[in-house]
Amino acid sequence: MTRFVISLLAFAGAALGQFAGLGVTGDGATLYFSTPLRLRGSASPFNHKILRYDTQLTEFLSRDTGMSNGHTTENFYDLIAAQPSSDGSIIGISAYRSCYGGSGCLAVQRYQSTILDRTGKQLFVDYGLVSLSRDGRWGLFYGRDGFGGLVPATELVNLTTAQATTVPYQYSFSQRSREVANDGTVAVVVGSELHLWRTDGERTLPGASPLPAVYPNDPQVLISADGRRVVYQTATGLALYDGTETALTTTPVTWASISDDGSVIAFVNSADAQVWMASPLRQLTKEADGMTEIALSGDGKVVYAATNGGRLLRIDVASAAVTELIPRTPWITGSTSPVVPGSLYQFTGQHLSPARVRIGGLDAPVQASTADQISFQVPWETPVQDAATFELISGSSPLESPPGTLPVVPFAPGSFTTDFTTLAVHQDFSGLITPTSPAVAGEVIAVYLNGLGAVAPTVGTGAPGPVPPAVVTAPLRCQFWDGGPNDGHIFFAGLAPGMLGVYQVSVQVPAGLRVTPVSLSCDAGQDTLSVFGLLPVKL
């Protein structure tokens, strides 16, 4: 059996950051957003959920992962965007689920949207992502899997009557904005033309020059509540159409948001990743970490922004005053499971330094930390258990990162690499074993692992491997595979002298190996957890 390296960031539907899918009410008093983080101390799952910020930060909606594949109509567990109506009485939530199984997934819907009231009561559910009109009457459901014509790719639904009308266009995931006016008018780019579509027909807007629609990377389009103004991306930047086209920017934008009446326009300038206002042009922020997404309140007075640095900001449009709502939160995006007491582990992520680590309520010595990696030792005293609490403590953020809990087992060999390369050095410790400096038959190489469990004599938490060395108490075998197993003779297996939580296995390379690199695996015998990697050898 092989240990698991867990990637907590992976999301097939879109590359979402710590904060995304921002939606704000007309008065700017309430913000909804998606995040994989959870409120500190809560038991909420770590898939994407919707949080609400008004007078305080609360969780609005989350779902357990459950079964993530198959042909069911349930388990849309990653909540990736929220759009409230201007008065905040109606909220549209877009959700995603993965599907595995090759061609069996062709007709499986990956997106589903739910319409709720402010209390979280469910009002309507349908496939696809949703764009909500500002009065909460209309929902544009798009991004559906239209395989075989089983369902229309895009539908406009009157949420007061549940009557659905097919919209004869596809929309991409990248929209996540306001494309529907209060009268049900839908703004859409068709080829290189800007159209206004209604249930009773459509018209082309003469003189408009939007970026061409190339599904699934359609340009962003925004329409005012009354349907009279449309803001869209052009080849040179951002433009407004209100009878004629007016250029708003001369540089491309990565995100835009407009007030309900379309008179106030905010955007993220691709040149500097800052928030700017259009008409008149004015720079609103000078934040070093730049912006990934923004949402402008319906009255045009407040901008909410998610930054590249993992912060959530509230910006007053008139004064440009910036209030940090959520500071940088340490975020682990790659971890290892299970873990073993005494071993050193390296987790990857964002904003990880400085930070404290606690496992099962015990402080875990941190050997080193950078912004994107932290190395720590699981305390020797940590009991074996299915779910030890995992805490990453840093700063004043009200949120916390996955994994939340970790299984702790007595033996689970692992490596310190992520590319299936065995970390090993030559017998004389002259350097690493690499393709240009391979191991040779008969050489006793030193392989560095973790997770080999208890040692004798015992060593205290935070103490490096002693001299004379502490040896592992579990049985261990290492095999070189070149079409079949070749047992390597182990001369030593124990804590590497002078290193924290690192094991050294001194094993002899068998003669007669036929392939390079050869696969090297180490375990405690058949049907036990194992680690494997590739080792260059000289043939």
Side-chain angles (χ1 to χ4, degrees):
M1 298 176 66
T2 303
R3 305 180 60 206
F4 298 101
V5 177
I6 306 299
S7 177
L8 300 159
L9 179 60
F11 172 59
L16 297 182
Q18 279 180 286
F19 307 122
L22 279 60
V24 60
T25 54
D27 61 3
T30 304
L31 170 73
Y32 294 85
F33 62 94
S34 170
T35 180
L37 306 174
R38 71 183 182 190
L39 293 174
R40 186 167 294 282
S42 73
S44 182
F46 280 113
N47 42 284
H48 285 81
K49 62 191 66 63
I50 301 298
L51 300 187
R52 178 166 62 196
Y53 197 106
D54 39 30
T55 57
Q56 60 183 349
L57 183 63
T58 57
E59 181 180 296
F60 180 67
L61 186 65
S62 66
R63 294 174 183 161
D64 289 322
T65 303
M67 182 183 296
S68 62
N69 62 340
H71 301 256
T72 68
T73 59
E74 300 177 350
N75 304 318
F76 293 84
Y77 51 89
D78 266 315
L79 310 180
I80 55 178
Q83 277 192 6
S85 60
S86 288
D87 65 4
S89 63
I90 303 294
I91 300 96
I93 305 295
S94 297
Y96 167 84
R97 67 172 180 140
S98 58
C99 183
Y100 306 98
S103 60
C105 291
L106 289 177
V108 173
Q109 298 295 333
R110 288 178 171 83
Y111 300 109
Q112 183 191 74
S113 292
T114 306
I115 309 300
L116 309 100
D117 66 17
R118 197 180 191 284
T119 69
K121 178 183 177 181
Q122 181 173 299
L123 305 176
F124 186 83
V125 179
D126 208 342
Y127 290 129
L129 303 154
V130 68
S131 178
L132 197 67
S133 64
R134 286 159 173 81
D135 61 2
R137 180 185 175 189
W138 300 94
L140 179 71
F141 291 82
Y142 64 96
R144 292 170 170 175
D145 185 346
F147 178 78
L150 297 178
V151 297
T154 308
E155 280 187 313
L156 180 68
V157 177
N158 185 324
L159 297 174
T160 60
T161 64
Q163 181 178 356
T165 304
T166 298
V167 181
Y169 305 111
Q170 281 189 316
Y171 285 75
S172 73
F173 178 86
S174 64
Q175 296 279 340
R176 281 197 289 128
S177 51
R178 304 275 194 176
E179 298 95 20
V180 189
N182 288 347
D183 64 356
T185 299
V186 177
V188 58
V189 176
V190 182
S192 297
E193 298 176 336
L194 183 60
H195 287 212
L196 295 184
W197 178 93
R198 292 172 51 117
T199 56
D200 57 359
E202 68 178 293
R203 65 188 179 97
T204 302
L205 299 184
S209 57
L211 276 176
V214 183
Y215 185 86
N217 296 308
D218 295 343
Q220 192 175 23
V221 179
L222 305 155
I223 190 170
S224 62
D226 61 9
R228 296 181 178 181
R229 292 185 168 205
V230 184
V231 175
Y232 50 95
Q233 292 173 308
T234 71
T236 57
L238 205 62
L240 166 69
Y241 193 97
D242 58 357
T244 58
E245 181 176 276
T246 302
L248 299 175
T249 70
T250 57
T251 57
V253 303
T254 57
W255 200 268
S257 185
I258 66 174
S259 61
D260 285 354
D261 64 7
S263 65
V264 183
I265 303 159
F267 65 92
V268 178
N269 191 327
S270 64
D272 57 15
Q274 298 301 314
V275 181
W276 288 68
M277 306 303 297
S279 190
L281 196 63
R282 174 169 66 101
Q283 185 172 352
L284 200 60
T285 64
K286 295 182 179 179
E287 298 294 318
D289 49 355
M291 312 298 170
T292 58
E293 184 176 327
I294 61 171
L296 178 67
S297 61
D299 59 14
K301 295 181 179 180
V302 177
V303 175
Y304 289 92
T307 78
N308 282 300
R311 299 184 298 144
L312 193 62
L313 308 179
R314 184 185 190 275
I315 307 158
D316 182 82
V317 171
S319 66
V322 176
T323 302
E324 185 178 73
L325 302 180
I326 300 177
R328 288 184 178 87
T329 302
W331 185 22
I332 290 175
T333 57
S335 64
T336 304
S337 180
V339 297
V340 177
S343 281
L344 186 73
Y345 292 93
Q346 296 173 336
F347 286 4
T348 57
Q350 298 176 14
H351 326 305
L352 300 184
S353 180
R356 289 174 54 210
V357 175
R358 287 175 62 83
I359 299 178
L362 301 173
D363 284 316
V366 174
Q367 182 200 52
S369 64
T370 62
D372 56 8
Q373 181 171 285
I374 187 167
S375 301
F376 62 91
Q377 182 191 32
V378 178
W380 284 105
E381 300 83 1
T382 308
V384 172
Q385 55 193 292
D386 292 334
T389 58
F390 178 89
E391 301 170 86
L392 187 66
I393 305 167
S394 177
S396 57
S397 174
L399 304 177
E400 64 182 2
S401 168
T405 62
L406 286 170
V408 182
V409 297
F411 181 88
S415 69
F416 294 100
T417 64
T418 57
D419 60 356
F420 299 106
T421 300
T422 297
L423 181 63
V425 299
H426 287 284
Q427 180 172 323
D428 60 1
F429 293 92
S430 59
L432 291 173
I433 295 173
T434 66
T436 57
S437 181
V440 298
E443 183 179 11
V444 180
I445 62 173
V447 179
Y448 293 96
L449 303 173
N450 62 6
L452 300 188
V455 295
T458 59
V459 177
T461 295
V467 178
V471 299
V472 299
T473 59
L476 185 69
R477 68 174 181 178
C478 290
Q479 296 178 310
F480 297 76
W481 291 78
D482 62 350
N486 296 275
D487 288 335
H489 181 71
I490 295 176
F491 288 88
F492 166 75
L495 290 177
M499 296 186 183
L500 177 66
V502 178
Y503 294 82
Q504 177 183 319
V505 178
S506 298
V507 58
Q508 189 171 38
V509 178
L513 294 176
R514 297 166 293 174
V515 298
T516 186
V518 67
S519 179
L520 172 64
S521 68
C522 295
D523 55 39
Q526 188 173 357
D527 296 325
T528 64
L529 290 171
S530 64
V531 62
F532 72 92
L534 299 176
L535 182 77
V537 294
K538 187 176 182 179
L539 300 182

